[in-house]
Amino acid sequence: MLSSPRFYSEAYLYRRYLELTMPPGALEALFQPVLKILAQRTEPDTAPLKIAGLLFAGDHAVARRHGVSAFPAEVTPQMVVNIVQGGAAVSQLAQRRAAPLWVCDVGIAQGFDSLLAIPSSPHVHFERANLHDVFPEEGYEEGARDMTALPALSQKAHQHCWNAGARLAEEAFRTSGCDVVFLGEMGIGNTTPASVISACLLGISADEATGRGTGISDEGWKKKKQVVEKALGRLREEGKATRVQTLADAHALLQQVGGAELSALAGAAWRAAELGRMVLLDGVIVTAAIAPLALAESAFSAWLMASHESAEPVHRSLLAALGLNPLLKLGLRLGEGSGAALAAGLLQDADALLRGMATFSSAGVSSGDSL
């Protein structure tokens, strides 16, 4: 489980890297991630690094009922249409990287069936596995119920979303042969469950775990912290606030305070790791969705890479807890997988250098002596 045969050894690739015409360690931070990626290939494939993107969309009742977001729920389907049609930042970045993009509606609020008929960009695939289509009897108007009052997802709903994510990861690998999967999300209100998950995992307060998300006002930020504390209070009262130690704990935390797109992200990442693909995480929401599993299972965490450190203060703490060093630190807060797609370009650049740069011996350049 969570392993695959290797064609290239990391040692062989590292020796190749050390022979390139540059001072030792000159581009270490750039090359180390791509060396790890290429070491997972199972055949002598000389093709450039291949990347695919998976994006999951859903909304949260906590946003509609408690006003924790600067934007209304209508933005989610509108932005999904924009992404699928190729007009969003992640769409453009993925296209520049020749990375096919899969977008899945796992929990967009009701009333947007027109999404089923949207024309898509040739590089984007749209699918739907919406909770309120599958479990109408469970009252899902969004992709997550109000986590301050009851579990965000039922066990069946969590498993459904997990399976949707896993299925999409399989499809991306089967059709694109990707070496790396980057993950993104789209959903109004999802920094709030990310804050609750972060507080549980890191043992910190609601104040410490809660950022401004898409840029709420001071009053909105105060309200958001209160909502996060209310959700944490429910977990404590119901005896659900234990620290994550096992995979069962990780699943329980996602079910209690996550949401459709967070469970789908977790399922996609887990399945990608099982398939021997590296997983490039986007910002705080994607990291929070993956973190419970990574802290419970070290073999899984070995397949993860951080694309960037976002503007949300708790993101740095989450990455530190996972032992991940971000490739970029630009204060990004767009979401939708844009930071991961941006960092994917760096991986492709490093791959191109590893393949195309001359070695000291082939270029007839003296490598110098160590002092």
Side-chain angles (χ1 to χ4, degrees), residues 44-70:
D45 184 1
T46 58
L49 194 71
K50 290 173 279 190
I51 294 170
L54 303 179
L55 188 151
F56 299 93
D59 291 311
H60 294 257
V62 72
R64 177 171 55 83
R65 297 185 182 182
H66 301 282
V68 295
S69 176

Side-chain angles (χ1 to χ4, degrees), residues 263-302:
S263 291
L265 286 164
W270 188 269
R271 185 60 184 139
E274 287 183 324
L275 293 168
R277 303 302 97 183
M278 298 302 297
V279 179
L280 186 60
L281 307 180
D282 192 39
V284 68
I285 297 158
V286 174
T287 306
I290 305 309
L293 300 164
L295 292 174
E297 178 55 75
S298 59
F300 172 64
S301 63

